[in-house]
Amino acid sequence: VEGGRLRAPGDDWFRADPVRLIEVFQLAEAEGLEVHPETMRQAGRDARLIDARLRRDRRANALFLELLAGRKDPETSLRWMNEAGVFGRFVPDFGRVVAQMQFDMYHHYTVDEHSIRAIGLLSRIERGELRAELPISTALVESGFNRRVLYVALLIHDLGKGRGADHSIVGADLAAGGHQLDRRRDPDRPGQPLGAAGAGDQAQRHLGQAHPRAGHRHADVGAEREFQPTAQHRAVQRRDHGLRRGF
């Protein structure tokens, strides 16, 4: 740690153990530290070390899940990870949507930035920072849920975009079996893949398929609406359907 920033102790630090490419961002989130600009440069240079073997590495996967569902500020550390090119290398499905524009009236951000912001908003809901604005969502989160399943589901909810088909269906397929994150182990449920923890796979498929039916009411300043209660989604859907029938 140098001046409140994590700095690699040497130029070959990542090459000596490529899992550190994930660990440095997880540590930054857990300890509330920044990543030194020189270390960011080194991570960007060495991101090419991330290969299929590293993506299957249990320690790397555990560290990534710790970061994704971090208790402090996962949004900022995930954004640094993305800027360094590490995020898209470690999660190839995420790499496909980096800098991908969304040409509609509901999104102002690229798919990768939109997804990272959504994770940040969920984290803020969980910390109780949006209680006044989103009281129902806050209450639901506080009532208890499988944190990692929800964070993983939120990460992949738009990763099916840009593949020439309905992104909710593609995303559901990714969640159901093909997605790298779906095979990660949940420490809270030893011996079970993350997707099998409780109704994890169903939750991921539901979020992937259900969120477009909300009428895409979420805007750039309201990505948190993507995890408003299902009842609210259905109310919006019924209202929009009634308006269409009126015309």
Side-chain angles (χ1 to χ4, degrees):
V1 178
E2 180 182 291
R5 298 182 293 188
L6 288 173
R7 180 165 189 169
D11 190 60
D12 62 346
W13 193 61
F14 293 123
R15 290 194 293 271
D17 182 3
V19 173
R20 291 169 177 165
L21 287 162
I22 312 301
E23 185 177 21
V24 67
F25 296 102
Q26 186 274 325
L27 285 173
E29 195 283 329
E31 301 299 329
L33 299 170
E34 296 181 13
V35 179
H36 194 282
E38 179 62 19
T39 301
M40 285 285 290
R41 185 193 68 77
Q42 293 170 355
R45 178 198 66 195
D46 293 336
R48 58 182 175 80
L49 298 174
I50 298 174
D51 55 14
R53 181 176 180 179
L54 183 65
R55 295 184 192 106
R56 292 191 300 268
D57 185 273
R58 289 191 176 186
R59 185 162 68 98
N61 281 284
L63 288 167
F64 181 79
L65 277 179
E66 289 291 336
L67 167 56
L68 179 65
R71 299 282 187 175
K72 290 187 176 180
D73 183 14
E75 176 183 358
T76 298
S77 291
L78 287 171
R79 184 171 290 113
W80 290 336
M81 191 183 196
N82 192 33
E83 290 173 357
V86 172
F87 200 161
R89 288 283 298 186
F90 189 66
V91 184
D93 288 319
F94 186 86
R96 291 179 62 125
V97 300
V98 170
Q100 181 176 310
M101 298 297 296
Q102 305 185 79
F103 298 101
D104 57 51
M105 64 182 292
Y106 309 110
H107 300 87
H108 289 183
Y109 296 97
T110 57
V111 178
D112 58 324
E113 176 62 14
H114 165 83
S115 300
I116 291 172
R117 286 173 61 88
I119 290 167
L121 286 164
L122 174 58
S123 180
R124 292 182 62 196
I125 290 173
E126 189 180 9
R127 295 196 300 269
E129 296 178 7
L130 298 175
R131 189 179 306 276
E133 183 179 354
L134 298 170
I136 299 177
S137 295
T138 301
L140 286 173
V141 166
E142 290 178 345
S143 68
F145 67 102
N146 188 317
R147 297 183 68 253
R148 293 191 173 188
V149 167
L150 186 53
Y151 276 93
V152 169
L154 190 57
L155 171 62
I156 68 176
H157 84 279
D158 268 352
L159 296 193
K161 288 190 171 180
R163 302 198 186 198
D166 186 327
H167 78 279
S168 61
I169 296 175
V170 175
D173 288 341
L174 292 174
H179 201 276
Q180 173 189 355
L181 294 176
D182 207 34
R183 294 186 170 85
R184 299 205 167 108
R185 294 190 177 277
D186 183 352
D188 298 328
R189 301 288 295 270
Q192 289 192 6
L194 178 63
D201 53 344
Q202 296 178 8
Q204 293 176 45
R205 286 196 296 270
H206 172 76
L207 183 57
Q209 291 179 316
H211 84 278
R213 295 199 297 268
H216 290 288
R217 307 299 294 182
H218 55 286
D220 59 307
V221 296
E224 65 268 35
R225 288 179 172 83
E226 292 184 65
F227 23 87
Q228 287 294 310
T230 301
Q232 289 188 348
H233 281 315
R234 289 174 178 168
V236 171
Q237 185 182 14
R238 287 195 297 269
R239 184 193 65 189
D240 289 350
H241 179 66
L243 289 173
R244 287 195 296 269
R245 289 184 64 184
F247 285 107

